[in-house]
Amino acid sequence: DVLKETSSKHLLTPVIVISGLSNQSKTLDVPGVAAFLKKPIEPTAMLKQIEELMSETPEMRSQRVSRFF
């Protein structure tokens, strides 16, 4: 599983899950998943999400992932 591998090696790297299935939003409860976007994706919404995640400080990322441990 790519997400599990990424999360175990790079815990603070934010991952955006993109799916056409609306019931997949529960993937936000998976360590490493920082956001969920449903297809079709609006480019501006995706860019906004990326910008938000890229602007997180290391402390903010640590706080986001700490809820899983």
Side-chain angles (χ1 to χ4, degrees):
D1 179 54
V2 174
L3 180 58
K4 195 178 287 186
E5 181 76 17
T6 301
S7 296
S8 67
K9 291 183 179 181
H10 308 283
L11 186 60
L12 297 181
T13 301
V15 174
I16 299 174
V17 172
I18 301 170
S19 176
L21 304 172
S22 61
N23 64 346
Q24 295 297 308
S25 61
K26 63 185 168 194
T27 57
L28 287 172
D29 294 331
V30 176
V33 176
F36 173 82
L37 297 175
K38 185 177 179 285
K39 292 179 185 176
I41 301 168
E42 289 292 325
T44 54
M46 185 169 87
L47 288 173
K48 182 180 178 198
Q49 186 66 68
I50 292 169
E51 287 173 352
E52 287 176 13
L53 292 170
M54 294 300 294
S55 69
E56 284 183 337
T57 63
E59 293 79 20
M60 292 166 71
R61 289 182 185 186
S62 293
Q63 190 174 25
R64 180 174 35 79
V65 299
S66 69
R67 65 186 172 116
F68 298 105
F69 305 102

